[in-house]
Amino acid sequence: MRISELVGAFVRRILRVPYYLITTIIILYNELAKLYTMGSGNIYKRRMKVFSLAFLVYLDYKALQQREKLTKRSKRDGLWEKAHERNAKRVLKLIVELEGLWVKLGQYLSTRADVLPEAYIRLLKQLQDSLPPRGLDEVCQTIETQLGQSMDNLFTNFVRVPLATASIAQVHRATLRDGQEVVVKVQHNGIKIIILEDLKNAKSIVDWIAWAEPQYDFNPMIDEWCREAPKELDFNHEAENTRKVSRNLGCKSEGRDKRPEHVEVLIPEVIQSTEKVLILEYMDGIRINDSRALEDLGVDKQKLVEEITRAYAHQIYVDGFFNGDPHPGNFLVSRKPPHHPILLDFGLTKLLSSSVKHALAKMFLAAAEGDHVALLSAFAEMGLKLRLDMPEQAMEVTNVFFRATTPATEALENMKSLAEQRAKNMKIIQEKMKLDKKQVKRFNPIDAFPGDIVIFSRVLNLLRGLSSSMNVRISYLSIMRPFAESVLKSDMNHGPSSNPNWVYDSPVHSDVEAKLRHFLVELGNADRILGIQVCAYKDGQVIIDTAAGVLGKYDPRPVQPDSLFPVFSVTKGVTAGMVHWLVDKGKLKLDENVTNIWPEFGANGKDQIKVNHILNHTAGLHNALAGIAEEDPMLFCDWDECLKRIVMVAPETEPGREQLYHYLSYGWLCGGIIEHASGKNFQDILEEAFIRPLNVEGELYIGVPPGVESRLATLTLDTSDLSRLAQKPDIRRGSSISTALPSTFKFEMIAGLIPLSNTLNVRRAILPAANGHFSARALARYYATLVDGGVVPPRHSSSSLPPLGSHPHHSIFLTKKTSVKDGSKKDSNGFTSPQSDLYIRIPETDDTSDEVDSKIFTHSKTKIHAAFLGSGDYKDLIIPNGKFGLGFRRVQTTDGSIIGFGHSGIGGSTGYCDINNRFAITVTLNKLSFGALTGEIIRFVCSELRLPVPQDYAGSRESIQQPVIN
């Protein structure tokens, strides 16, 4: 065994650290020593000193960990304080000796009062602007060489003692020949070679760390630094950056900018620049870390740091061009009231592309609103790739990233909290990936880390450290939000007037659709629509398939025909169809006791509840599980737990006696029946009954699987609609629609649904009452099939891109699927009515003449419709004159005539069919409007086709007194 390996084994035994880590350090140290003794020069001497110190500090702390176990608890804090003090002195001494890049590292560490011990902050603070200066002769020679004139010709006065000395340059105060007071920044001789070599050394260290500890792969960071840091060495570059940031922030603008994103900061004017000399306007200020001077001037430190944070939010989100080095040495505070912050040193800057700037803003707002879908979308747009599907942990880490700052006095507690959270996340990763302890320590959950956000991350950490060192608390989520929102709003072009592609470019199927698109544009210009899909079938043919707007308030991607919208209770119409499909297949009967299918269900007085009671909302379980929302809303996402709990509840009313809308319990009641009657998972039956036979793969989900996040629309609330409805004296008592609502439903709950429904946890949950994610064209195809008694229409036009059914259908459950043998017979049931002459259908380019109709139900159209409506042979299975049939809302006209069936969802999405006119229409939208907008669209289409308008949507926007919520 080699000497290095023996030493490694010995040290490992003493310190109990990984063998490979100690051995590697010693081998690396020996190799560096060999290179130095062979005469490789200062480059390897610098490298060896760095590795030697790193090894020494590492061993010191590891030894202390062992010693701590033998020390009284009361003396342990003292041991750690002494260790921090001596190691901070070692680090400072070496950094001052080496200068170059290591000063930059020390400056960064000196700002991290939120995570580093006080000794490091106190000692390393000297690196911000108090390094040993270079000689005056060297400084003057550089100035004269660069500017081509003598010092006497340039200045009437040049102060010998520098104002500040940093890693790359030092700054002197001077007076120009014309009397202007300036500062002169002069680059250190030879610093360029040192910086470039230090970057190589840093790269070597990072490569070694990534090899030894793969979960700590900092290569993306060092690669970005290697690209950007050399730019600091050209002061012409810094001069242009200074001018650009000053212009962007309006520092020289006349008058006061009253926009919310305006910031009050000062930036010195550039007088002259060369590669190594920069002359700037002199501004009289005090150092931001001079606490006593700030107190003497009465400076509000909270307001000061908030304004600096706002200035950086403006640079990042509004301008996409920001200073990447906001350590305390680069800030002054003006002596004159109102004591504005002065921003200095723009050598290290970052220019963001429009797409990355947008993605960063989207990431910030997604974290602020808990929107997992938008967060993952932002990650994808900026090129951040994760190795596993863990949206909850991704959100948690992002929230840590944008967390509010804490004072330096809470650094230890903060570090412990972060360590505990990281340990918790790694445990979750370990369980999900089935990794052992060694594997999880070497697992890096990030697959690709884009260089564009490296300096962005550095800036946030530096600002956090600045806040902590000044003992102020900064809420990033509140201060930076207006800037992130402003860039998205300016980039979004929500409305048609500013976005010529607001209506998605897809084929026009009829003259009615052409007119509808013009109408939608009018509504869009009135800010009534954010994103929408409308699809309609007439006589078995598509006559409307339109998508318009954007996917979300902070998501400017266009709505496409295959976009997936959360449709709330529209889902119930599909769930009801699954129950009827099982009845049609002979798996259960509508008048059958649920306990015959699901024996456990009979507990607590539910043995008399029948399938028809559940479908007709007369089971007496209308408030069942409503208390989960107060206990833990996330329990809604636990399918098995909810089924167990539904078994344990007791009915509040006698089955079949009173119709009260089962707004949540309906889903678990029907879901339990479906699974027990079929012996299969809910998702399997959905796919077998409807998804594959209707060719709507990838566009009809109840609980979305991983892989479809990029197509999900994000919900927002139409506040004007909400305000209008809130002014009604008693929205519940006066509503013909809402009188059937259970006591636990409150209108105020609606606003709280939005953020919850946007979370990925909820979107992925199986909630058959309210969690459908459909495209309008998939839902319309479903109702077009039902209106014809189960006969599937011809395939949707392939010219509407992407074609319906072209997506692979991801299933949440990896279960074996059972194929359905579709009936293959020509349409000979007399369903086809004469072609209406009230609209002109534009011919398709697809040839569907050879297609054979398939049928998903075996019973006749008349019998199927009677079952849906609770009429004819099924009239005794429902409450007379109720709003619901057997699972579907009965669609009535204003004169009380029943014309069809369907189901609406809270917020405006809907789907229904008109039986006599063989008409089916669906609307999906993401700006929830409680039926008013949907009513205008339905009335418009029905008017053009001369069809009866459903009672729920009859009348003007103002005359619709109550929201359509089911």
Side-chain angles (χ1 to χ4, degrees):
M1 183 180 287
R2 297 179 184 177
I3 296 296
S4 59
E5 293 174 335
L6 287 171
V7 174
F10 173 72
V11 174
R12 177 180 178 273
R13 186 174 183 83
I14 294 175
L15 303 183
R16 297 180 183 177
V17 294
Y19 169 83
Y20 68 84
L21 190 57
I22 294 297
T23 305
T24 302
I25 293 173
I26 295 174
I27 292 173
L28 190 56
Y29 181 90
N30 289 341
E31 293 301 316
L32 290 172
K34 287 179 188 177
L35 288 169
Y36 177 59
T37 56
M38 292 171 63
S40 299
N42 288 333
I43 295 173
Y44 293 105
K45 182 178 180 181
R46 291 172 65 84
R47 187 175 296 182
M48 191 169 71
K49 287 182 177 180
V50 171
F51 275 97
S52 299
L53 179 66
F55 185 42
L56 179 61
V57 171
Y58 177 78
L59 291 182
D60 191 354
Y61 281 121
K62 294 303 293 186
L64 181 57
Q65 286 178 350
Q66 301 304 315
R67 185 180 173 189
E68 183 183 35
K69 298 174 182 177
L70 305 175
T71 305
K72 291 182 179 179
R73 190 177 298 273
S74 60
K75 295 183 178 180
R76 289 177 183 176
D77 288 345
L79 285 177
W80 281 101
E81 288 176 8
K82 290 178 181 178
H84 294 326
E85 185 77 22
R86 65 174 172 267
N87 285 318
K89 287 179 178 178
R90 287 167 176 164
V91 172
L92 176 63
K93 181 181 177 182
L94 182 63
I95 288 176
V96 171
E97 179 185 344
L98 295 181
E99 296 184 333
L101 185 71
W102 304 110
V103 174
K104 287 284 183 187
L105 176 61
Q107 289 172 340
Y108 175 77
L109 293 176
S110 73
T111 67
R112 298 311 309 274
D114 55 324
V115 293
L116 282 181
E118 186 273 336
Y120 283 90
I121 304 303
R122 174 169 42 82
L123 291 167
L124 296 181
K125 207 157 64 169
Q126 302 171 48
L127 300 171
Q128 291 170 7
D129 54 13
S130 303
L131 287 170
R134 298 292 180 93
L136 186 62
D137 290 342
E138 177 187 315
V139 170
C140 292
Q141 184 180 357
T142 300
I143 292 173
E144 290 178 344
T145 302
Q146 288 286 302
L147 298 179
Q149 297 183 61
S150 68
M151 295 291 289
D152 291 338
N153 287 336
L154 291 166
F155 310 104
T156 59
N157 181 47
F158 190 88
V159 180
R160 299 172 63 88
V161 179
L163 292 170
T165 303
S167 58
I168 292 176
Q170 60 194 61
V171 178
H172 292 259
R173 187 173 177 181
T175 306
L176 296 177
R177 300 296 298 180
D178 62 4
Q180 182 175 4
E181 294 289 319
V182 296
V183 293
V184 185
K185 182 175 180 178
V186 185
Q187 190 174 120
H188 301 319
N189 280 345
I191 195 66
K192 185 172 185 177
I193 294 174
I194 292 173
I195 290 286
L196 295 178
E197 290 300 331
D198 285 347
L199 284 170
K200 292 179 183 177
N201 293 343
K203 175 67 174 170
S204 298
I205 293 171
V206 167
D207 286 340
W208 170 74
I209 293 173
W211 172 79
E213 302 285 341
Q215 73 271 32
Y216 297 113
D217 185 0
F218 301 113
N219 269 297
M221 291 93 168
I222 195 65
D223 290 343
E224 179 70 7
W225 208 357
C226 287
R227 280 192 295 270
E228 299 295 334
K231 297 176 183 177
E232 287 191 85
L233 301 170
D234 183 352
F235 288 175
N236 284 318
H237 179 75
E238 180 176 342
E240 182 52 39
N241 292 343
T242 305
R243 294 187 186 101
K244 185 172 182 178
V245 174
S246 181
R247 284 194 306 270
N248 289 343
L249 297 182
C251 294
K252 298 297 180 181
S253 60
E254 297 293 332
R256 291 293 179 186
D257 190 337
K258 298 299 182 182
R259 289 176 300 173
E261 62 269 23
H262 177 66
V263 294
E264 297 285 354
V265 295
L266 303 174
I267 295 176
E269 182 181 355
V270 176
I271 308 300
Q272 189 176 358
S273 68
T274 68
E275 183 183 358
K276 296 182 179 180
V277 176
L278 177 61
I279 301 176
L280 299 165
E281 166 194 9
Y282 172 74
M283 287 187 167
D284 188 17
I286 57 176
R287 293 174 181 173
I288 199 169
N289 53 10
D290 189 342
S291 298
R292 179 170 295 180
L294 292 177
E295 289 176 9
D296 291 343
L297 288 174
V299 175
D300 185 337
K301 291 195 292 184
Q302 178 73 30
K303 185 177 180 181
L304 181 71
V305 179
E306 284 182 359
E307 199 60 26
I308 289 173
T309 305
R310 294 182 73 252
Y312 272 84
H314 193 294
Q315 292 175 64
I316 293 166
Y317 294 119
V318 179
D319 309 324
F321 183 77
F322 60 94
N323 180 358
D325 202 17
H327 66 76
N330 287 340
F331 296 106
L332 296 175
V333 182
S334 62
R335 290 185 184 274
K336 294 180 180 179
H339 308 300
H340 292 314
I342 302 171
L343 277 53
L344 307 172
D345 193 348
F346 295 87
L348 179 62
T349 55
K350 181 65 183 177
L351 176 64
L352 301 174
S353 66
S354 177
S355 59
V356 170
K357 182 178 73 170
H358 174 269
L360 287 174
K362 187 173 174 181
M363 178 179 75
F364 177 90
L365 292 167
E369 298 197 352
D371 187 343
H372 294 75
V373 173
L375 181 67
L376 296 181
S377 174
F379 283 175
E381 289 170 30
M382 68 178 67
L384 178 61
K385 298 179 181 178
L386 305 178
R387 284 197 170 96
L388 68 172
D389 176 51
M390 295 183 65
E392 299 84 3
Q393 278 63 49
M395 178 62 74
E396 201 170 290
V397 170
T398 308
N399 281 325
V400 168
F401 192 59
F402 291 117
R403 71 190 184 279
T405 65
T406 54
T409 53
E410 299 176 16
L412 182 60
E413 184 180 340
N414 192 34
M415 279 293 292
K416 286 181 179 178
S417 174
L418 292 175
E420 289 172 0
Q421 188 166 343
R422 185 180 187 281
K424 175 184 172 185
N425 286 335
M426 292 309 292
K427 185 177 181 180
I428 294 172
I429 289 174
Q430 182 179 0
E431 293 173 354
K432 184 160 187 172
M433 301 292 291
K434 296 181 172 59
L435 304 173
D436 59 32
K437 290 184 178 180
K438 287 184 179 180
Q439 289 173 322
V440 76
K441 288 182 71 175
R442 298 177 66 83
F443 179 76
N444 186 347
I446 298 177
D447 186 42
F449 193 88
D452 280 328
I453 66 172
V454 169
I455 295 182
F456 168 75
S457 306
R458 167 186 163 85
V459 164
L460 276 191
N461 284 330
L462 284 169
L463 290 175
R464 189 183 306 283
L466 174 67
S467 304
S468 295
S469 65
M470 297 187 72
N471 285 313
V472 297
R473 296 180 186 273
I474 299 296
S475 172
Y476 286 131
L477 292 181
S478 60
I479 292 176
M480 302 180 85
R481 181 166 188 151
F483 298 92
E485 286 182 335
S486 70
V487 66
L488 287 180
K489 287 177 181 177
S490 64
D491 288 349
M492 292 272 293
N493 294 327
H494 283 155
S497 60
S498 54
N499 183 1
N501 299 316
W502 187 78
V503 175
Y504 188 75
D505 186 15
S506 59
V508 177
H509 297 81
S510 66
D511 62 330
V512 174
E513 182 170 26
K515 294 176 184 177
L516 174 66
R517 291 187 178 186
H518 287 296
F519 183 57
L520 294 180
V521 167
E522 291 177 14
L523 294 171
N525 283 328
D527 198 28
R528 300 282 307 286
I529 296 174
L530 181 62
I532 194 168
Q533 296 170 325
V534 182
C535 187
Y537 279 73
K538 183 72 174 71
D539 302 321
Q541 299 290 329
V542 179
I543 61 168
I544 297 171
D545 186 10
T546 289
V550 294
L551 284 176
K553 183 179 178 182
Y554 303 121
D555 190 344
R557 291 175 300 155
V559 173
Q560 299 185 174
D562 64 335
S563 298
L564 299 172
F565 281 71
V567 295
F568 291 108
S569 286
V570 175
T571 314
K572 291 183 175 73
V574 175
T575 301
M578 294 167 66
V579 175
H580 283 282
W581 184 83
L582 288 171
V583 171
D584 186 75
K585 302 302 176 192
K587 298 293 184 180
L588 73 156
K589 298 177 181 178
L590 290 172
D591 58 355
E592 186 173 9
N593 282 354
V594 176
T595 53
N596 292 350
I597 309 153
W598 185 2
E600 303 87 350
F601 181 80
N604 294 320
K606 299 192 298 298
D607 53 305
Q608 297 303 310
I609 295 177
K610 300 179 183 295
V611 174
N612 63 285
H613 294 146
I614 289 172
L615 291 174
N616 193 227
H617 298 272
T618 58
L621 300 171
H622 39 282
N623 288 321
L625 273 60
I628 286 183
E630 296 179 5
E631 178 184 347
D632 179 4
M634 287 299 106
L635 280 175
F636 284 134
C637 304
D638 190 333
W639 173 250
D640 292 330
E641 177 64 20
C642 288
L643 288 182
K644 289 177 184 176
R645 292 193 179 206
I646 209 77
V647 164
M648 301 309 298
V649 297
E652 296 181 43
T653 60
E654 181 184 343
R657 182 176 181 180
E658 187 177 4
Q659 191 172 80
L660 290 165
Y661 186 48
H662 291 43
Y663 65 105
L664 278 176
S665 56
Y666 179 92
W668 297 301
L669 292 167
C670 287
I673 290 172
I674 289 166
E675 290 200 338
H676 283 83
S678 67
K680 299 179 181 179
N681 285 318
F682 180 88
Q683 300 280 12
D684 295 335
I685 294 299
L686 176 60
E687 186 171 347
E688 182 180 344
F690 301 138
I691 290 169
R692 282 189 279 111
L694 269 58
N695 300 118
V696 293
E697 287 88 345
E699 297 188 32
L700 194 84
Y701 288 111
I702 300 178
V704 299
V708 302
E709 292 86 359
S710 63
R711 293 192 285 127
L712 296 177
T714 302
L715 299 172
T716 190
L717 195 61
D718 187 336
T719 53
S720 63
D721 230 25
L722 185 63
S723 300
R724 180 177 60 83
L725 289 168
Q727 293 170 5
K728 304 296 180 184
D730 190 339
I731 198 165
R732 170 184 289 276
R733 188 166 57 245
S735 175
S736 61
I737 296 172
S738 302
T739 48
L741 286 174
S743 59
T744 53
F745 184 90
K746 293 179 174 59
F747 187 67
E748 298 75 31
M749 295 166 55
I750 296 171
L753 280 175
I754 308 306
L756 187 64
S757 299
N758 282 332
T759 64
L760 202 54
N761 282 338
V762 172
R763 289 180 186 264
R764 289 183 174 178
I766 305 171
L767 296 171
N771 200 32
H773 283 71
F774 307 150
S775 68
R777 64 182 184 176
L779 185 62
R781 188 167 176 80
Y782 170 73
Y783 275 107
T785 301
L786 297 190
V787 81
D788 277 350
V791 176
V792 180
R795 279 185 176 272
H796 209 79
S797 169
S798 60
S799 59
S800 181
L801 299 176
L804 179 60
S806 62
H807 288 288
H809 189 79
H810 303 275
S811 181
I812 289 179
F813 297 113
L814 299 177
T815 56
K816 183 178 179 181
K817 306 295 186 295
T818 303
S819 299
V820 178
K821 294 182 179 179
D822 298 328
S824 299
K825 47 186 176 181
K826 293 286 183 180
D827 183 2
S828 58
N829 297 311
F831 294 165
T832 305
S833 60
Q835 177 79 14
S836 172
D837 59 359
L838 297 178
Y839 66 94
I840 303 171
R841 181 171 162 75
I842 297 174
E844 298 281 0
T845 56
D846 303 341
D847 183 7
T848 59
S849 58
D850 294 332
E851 291 196 15
V852 178
D853 291 331
S854 59
K855 199 168 186 289
I856 60 173
F857 290 107
T858 57
H859 290 105
S860 70
K861 179 171 115 174
T862 301
K863 187 170 184 178
I864 290 167
H865 289 167
F868 292 165
L869 293 168
S871 61
D873 293 341
Y874 303 93
K875 62 180 175 32
D876 294 333
L877 300 183
I878 68 168
I879 287 281
N881 303 316
K883 295 293 180 182
F884 293 95
L886 291 173
F888 294 91
R889 273 292 304 269
R890 301 202 288 185
V891 177
Q892 294 178 282
T893 59
T894 52
D895 64 4
S897 301
I898 296 174
I899 60 171
F901 53 88
H903 220 294
S904 297
I906 197 166
S909 292
T910 193
Y912 82 88
C913 57
D914 179 331
I915 296 171
N916 293 331
N917 292 292
R918 292 188 65 207
F919 173 68
I921 186 169
T922 55
V923 179
T924 58
L925 42 80
N926 56 0
K927 187 174 185 179
L928 306 190
S929 65
F930 308 106
L933 173 67
T934 308
E936 291 179 58
I937 293 169
I938 297 291
R939 289 196 301 276
F940 180 90
V941 174
C942 289
S943 174
E944 290 294 323
L945 296 173
R946 299 184 188 176
L947 298 176
V949 178
Q951 182 182 22
D952 290 348
Y953 300 118
S956 66
R957 180 188 184 193
E958 290 71 22
S959 66
I960 297 179
Q961 299 295 314
Q962 307 298 334
V964 178
I965 65 173
N966 53 42

